[in-house]
Amino acid sequence: MKVDGKPYRTIWLNDDGWSVEIIDQTLMPHRFETVTLKNLEAAAHAIKAMLVRGAPLIGATAAYGICLAMRADDSDEALDRAYDTLYATRPTAVNLRWALDEMRAALRNRPRGARVAAAYARAEEICDEDVEICQSIGRHGLKIIREIAASKPAGEPVNILTHCNAGWLATVDWGTATAPMYMAFEEGIPIHVWADETRPRNQGASLTAWELKGHGVPHTVIADNVGGHLMQHGKVDLCIVGTDRTTASGDVCNKIGTYLKALAAHANDVPFYVALPSPTIDWTVKDGVKEIPIEQRGGEEVSQMTGRTAAGAIETVTITPDGSPVANFAFDVTPARYVTGLITERGVAEASREGLAKLFPERVR
Amino acid sequence: MKVDGKPYRTIWLNDDGWSVEIIDQTLMPHRFETVTLKNLEAAAHAIKAMLVRGAPLIGATAAYGICLAMRADDSDEALDRAYDTLYATRPTAVNLRWALDEMRAALRNRPRGARVAAAYARAEEICDEDVEICQSIGRHGLKIIREIAASKPAGEPVNILTHCNAGWLATVDWGTATAPMYMAFEEGIPIHVWADETRPRNQGASLTAWELKGHGVPHTVIADNVGGHLMQHGKVDLCIVGTDRTTASGDVCNKIGTYLKALAAHANDVPFYVALPSPTIDWTVKDGVKEIPIEQRGGEEVSQMTGRTAAGAIETVTITPDGSPVANFAFDVTPARYVTGLITERGVAEASREGLAKLFPERVR
């Protein structure tokens, strides 16, 4: 999407044809800086230190990490080492493993000497496939926004609430939850996005607000506490969020706090949609609440906050009393009954086994 | 309650018999400092700049502000000026007006010369009455906690979730929502409090955590997004929150985000109680969602965050992108159907016109 008028992806090849450029998302929203990755170690660091984040972008970065490793040494041993190094950066990221497996499959049994070119070709495909998936999600979600716009007085914006960042910064381009919003905006449908701050890591206040602003999409940052009040007063026409993992029965695991918004949407008859690429559906899990373990992260994400001082420095401050314990559950599960629909690259599915079976008959027996 | 073992109220007369001591709550949770009020202006500033906050404590501070004004000039004109000065500090605070009216009624028609003593006497009564109300709320809420404790395996803590700060720091002592917790703790019932951070002003992370810690009550600070997940997994036995204004039909206006927790409690069969002194019931309002206007405050409360740097300085940082709009709704309304009970100084009422009529027959016709 655009940053102040200029189109960007989140990862791209430089003009030299081999080095890889990424956006350093740890500096957001205060600075827009890109970083050049020239070797495996730099790619691994970018993932581990969260310069890049979001499942699809992590996968794409890992794919290019393999390319950079192959440039230095295209042996089987180097391939295995690169795989292991990259996999160790964020072992719970499903897309990371998938991208690494794809790259290994594309290079194994291929003569040395042909591997570098094959790696770059497959990495480029992985990126392009991600963009296509996001665009398809966008097109299917766009229909929903179009319908709501048609039901409102002409010129009145469609108010969309989103949580966390399932935006283009989490993917290669377009995003998942944001793709329908960007497509509606491009089509000239008046929209306005309520961006949940998304404590404790503030990805809404920092990343979602930043990317919407860069592309020129009207939006407002709100505390996570506000969505219920807005829905109660008719100020939200629909919610669209992303997901880290969706179960075969349509339960949705996403950033902590998603469940509270789904409850509020349900209580106030606001449609609640979840946008997802189908590879994030975990066909082995039936009951998300019972079966999905919820990661607990470091308490400092809650007790500390990083931002920009009046003098322009990036500073971290502690907001809790010394010695008060802190808990930091990273995700929650929204049961399928609160989800109006799952926006996938194949279309919008009802959030149920039956709904998913219609779109993915090959996966549901 | 206690601060590191020593009992405190939030406002008290100094040994000189006339100057008034308060805790500067703007420095919390990083510093514990008290401030001496020696004149009307200091009292007005303490309320306006939120060194003191919470309806009962604002009322008590205003009462002592009248005392300090009377010491300087006990004429009718000075009384009127003091009333107006104090009322202008936070004109939407119901208790402020009530306390000022009480003080004026106690001083009018009384000879000059007798007014200073009468003022101090009435201010002391106002404080003591507030403590009594909170203790009564505590005793009625304690019964609820006792029952839940009895239903759990011996030694397992009763997990109580609270939002914002309806604690002793908001009152003269004990607090409203916290009074049952402190009483249970004093009685030796094992309890553990989940303290919602309460964005955007963080009163949970700063004030509630601080006062629970000072008194030694086990607690954990969580992001506002977490409560739904905890309730879904049986980690909350009951919620107790405060309220700024309760309607005659039991709708509860409280700090933004309360409604989301009530929805989660309802969805997961967790009892959701609201603790309140009966003067905060607005008998003129029937439908809280439709009739109560919700204050919007400055966006900087959302876009900025104040805390303690590693070097120990208090610093404010901006967390949103430059130029991203911010909205800051301060309160929301929880409809009565999501409220298990209203814990008042007269007992626990069902959150309905009928429930309130049983406890307050003189107010409900």
Side-chain angles (χ1 to χ4, degrees):
Chain A
M1 309 316 297
K2 289 178 190 163
V3 179
D4 298 330
K6 188 181 161 194
Y8 279 90
R9 283 186 174 189
T10 53
I11 186 166
W12 62 95
L13 266 194
N14 282 310
D15 290 343
D16 59 21
W18 67 271
S19 72
V20 178
E21 204 75 7
I22 58 162
I23 300 168
D24 182 355
Q25 299 194 21
T26 63
L27 302 176
M28 298 220 154
H30 309 298
R31 289 185 209 148
F32 177 60
E33 283 179 21
T34 66
V35 171
T36 308
L37 310 179
K38 296 189 173 179
N39 51 46
L40 168 65
E41 290 67 34
H45 172 77
I47 299 170
K48 199 179 172 76
M50 298 180 77
L51 278 67
V52 294
R53 21 70 60 195
L57 177 55
I58 287 172
T61 308
Y64 275 116
I66 296 284
C67 299
L68 294 168
M70 289 296 96
R71 270 191 100 239
D73 176 353
D74 65 356
S75 68
D76 281 344
E77 293 72 21
L79 178 56
D80 288 344
R81 268 201 309 275
Y83 186 108
D84 293 344
T85 301
L86 290 162
Y87 183 62
T89 53
R90 301 222 24 212
T92 58
V94 176
N95 255 56
L96 173 61
R97 172 143 224 170
W98 171 84
L100 290 170
D101 286 341
E102 288 292 310
M103 293 299 289
R104 184 146 66 181
L107 302 186
R108 277 258 170 95
N109 297 315
R110 196 176 281 269
R112 292 181 66 168
R115 287 179 172 177
V116 171
Y120 275 99
R122 186 69 191 108
E124 193 183 336
E125 275 173 16
I126 285 175
C127 289
D128 289 346
E129 284 164 16
D130 183 60
V131 174
E132 275 165 37
I133 285 178
C134 289
Q135 286 176 327
S136 295
I137 290 171
R139 276 189 291 270
H140 294 298
L142 171 61
K143 289 179 218 153
I144 297 167
I145 298 176
R146 250 191 223 140
E147 269 173 36
I148 292 173
S151 74
K152 299 193 77 165
E156 257 195 36
V158 176
N159 287 298
I160 306 169
L161 184 141
T162 192
H163 191 70
C164 199
N165 178 259
W168 73 269
L169 288 171
T171 63
V172 176
D173 208 349
W174 292 94
T176 52
T178 54
M181 307 178 201
Y182 286 122
M183 293 216 168
F185 178 77
E186 292 296 314
E187 194 171 273
I189 298 172
I191 65 164
H192 166 262
V193 181
W194 297 106
D196 272 358
E197 175 181 49
T198 319
R199 287 279 291 142
R201 291 177 60 86
N202 297 4
Q203 295 101 326
S206 53
L207 305 176
T208 303
W210 185 89
E211 64 166 84
L212 292 171
K213 179 173 161 279
H215 200 75
V217 180
H219 67 286
T220 305
V221 179
I222 48 174
D224 300 307
N225 283 324
V226 179
H229 169 73
L230 293 175
M231 293 190 224
Q232 204 180 36
H233 287 267
K235 292 178 178 171
V236 179
D237 294 303
L238 80 162
C239 302
I240 312 180
V241 301
T243 169
D244 292 80
R245 198 168 168 190
T246 298
T247 72
S249 52
D251 297 336
V252 170
C253 181
N254 191 40
K255 184 55 46 76
I256 190 80
T258 302
Y259 170 52
L260 288 169
K261 293 304 141 61
L263 288 173
H266 188 76
N268 295 286
D269 292 324
V270 173
F272 188 90
Y273 287 96
V274 180
L276 63 145
S278 64
T280 61
I281 301 173
D282 187 338
W283 301 98
T284 67
V285 176
K286 279 178 191 159
D287 185 324
V289 175
K290 285 192 188 145
E291 295 176 51
I292 298 179
I294 299 298
E295 178 190 358
Q296 286 200 56
R297 300 175 54 89
E300 73 286 351
E301 290 184 354
V302 177
S303 61
Q304 298 182 346
M305 189 82 82
T306 299
R308 192 175 73 252
T309 67
I314 305 296
E315 175 75 87
T316 297
V317 296
T318 297
I319 57 170
T320 51
D322 267 339
S324 272
V326 163
N328 184 11
F329 296 86
F331 303 97
D332 63 23
V333 173
T334 299
R337 65 181 174 281
Y338 300 116
V339 178
T340 308
L342 302 169
I343 310 175
T344 76
E345 71 274 20
R346 291 200 193 165
V348 180
E350 189 187 275
S352 66
R353 189 172 179 79
E354 299 68 38
L356 284 167
K358 281 182 200 160
L359 287 188
F360 301 93
E362 77 280 17
R363 302 305 302 260
V364 182
R365 277 167 299 265
Chain B
M1 310 315 296
K2 289 180 191 163
V3 179
D4 297 331
K6 187 180 161 197
Y8 278 90
R9 283 187 173 187
T10 53
I11 186 165
W12 64 94
L13 266 195
N14 282 310
D15 289 343
D16 59 20
W18 67 270
S19 72
V20 178
E21 204 74 9
I22 57 162
I23 300 168
D24 182 355
Q25 300 194 21
T26 64
L27 302 175
M28 298 219 155
H30 309 299
R31 289 186 210 146
F32 176 60
E33 283 180 20
T34 66
V35 171
T36 308
L37 309 180
K38 296 190 173 179
N39 52 46
L40 168 66
E41 291 66 35
H45 172 77
I47 299 171
K48 198 178 173 78
M50 298 180 78
L51 278 68
V52 294
R53 21 72 58 196
L57 178 54
I58 288 172
T61 308
Y64 276 115
I66 296 284
C67 298
L68 295 168
M70 289 297 96
R71 271 192 100 238
D73 177 353
D74 65 355
S75 67
D76 282 344
E77 293 71 23
L79 178 57
D80 288 345
R81 269 200 310 274
Y83 185 108
D84 293 345
T85 301
L86 290 162
Y87 182 63
T89 52
R90 299 215 36 205
T92 58
V94 176
N95 255 55
L96 173 61
R97 172 144 223 170
W98 171 84
L100 290 170
D101 286 341
E102 288 291 309
M103 292 300 289
R104 184 146 66 181
L107 302 185
R108 278 255 169 97
N109 297 314
R110 197 177 280 270
R112 292 180 66 169
R115 287 180 172 175
V116 170
Y120 276 99
R122 184 70 191 108
E124 193 183 335
E125 275 174 17
I126 285 175
C127 290
D128 288 346
E129 285 164 16
D130 183 61
V131 174
E132 275 164 38
I133 285 178
C134 289
Q135 286 177 326
S136 295
I137 290 170
R139 276 189 292 270
H140 294 299
L142 170 61
K143 290 178 218 154
I144 298 167
I145 298 177
R146 252 191 222 139
E147 269 174 37
I148 292 173
S151 74
K152 299 193 77 165
E156 257 195 35
V158 177
N159 286 298
I160 306 169
L161 184 139
T162 192
H163 191 69
C164 198
N165 179 259
W168 73 270
L169 289 171
T171 62
V172 176
D173 208 350
W174 292 95
T176 53
T178 54
M181 307 178 201
Y182 287 123
M183 292 217 170
F185 178 76
E186 292 296 312
E187 194 171 273
I189 298 172
I191 66 164
H192 166 262
V193 180
W194 297 107
D196 272 359
E197 174 180 52
T198 319
R199 286 281 291 144
R201 291 177 60 85
N202 297 5
Q203 296 100 324
S206 52
L207 305 176
T208 303
W210 185 89
E211 63 166 84
L212 291 171
K213 177 173 162 280
H215 200 75
V217 180
H219 67 285
T220 306
V221 178
I222 48 174
D224 300 308
N225 283 324
V226 178
H229 168 73
L230 294 176
M231 293 191 225
Q232 203 180 39
H233 288 267
K235 292 178 178 171
V236 179
D237 294 303
L238 80 163
C239 302
I240 312 179
V241 301
T243 168
D244 292 80
R245 200 169 168 190
T246 298
T247 72
S249 52
D251 298 336
V252 170
C253 181
N254 190 42
K255 184 54 48 75
I256 191 79
T258 302
Y259 170 52
L260 289 169
K261 294 303 141 61
L263 288 172
H266 188 76
N268 295 286
D269 291 323
V270 174
F272 188 90
Y273 287 95
V274 180
L276 63 143
S278 63
T280 61
I281 302 173
D282 188 337
W283 300 99
T284 67
V285 176
K286 278 177 194 161
D287 186 324
V289 175
K290 285 192 188 143
E291 295 175 51
I292 297 179
I294 298 298
E295 178 190 359
Q296 287 200 56
R297 299 175 55 89
E300 74 285 350
E301 290 183 355
V302 178
S303 60
Q304 299 181 345
M305 190 81 82
T306 299
R308 192 175 74 251
T309 67
I314 305 296
E315 175 75 86
T316 298
V317 296
T318 296
I319 57 169
T320 51
D322 266 339
S324 272
V326 164
N328 184 11
F329 296 85
F331 303 98
D332 63 22
V333 174
T334 299
R337 65 181 174 281
Y338 300 116
V339 177
T340 309
L342 302 169
I343 310 174
T344 75
E345 72 274 19
R346 291 200 194 166
V348 181
E350 190 188 274
S352 67
R353 190 172 178 78
E354 298 69 37
L356 284 167
K358 281 182 202 161
L359 287 188
F360 301 93
E362 78 280 15
R363 301 306 303 260
V364 183
R365 275 166 299 266

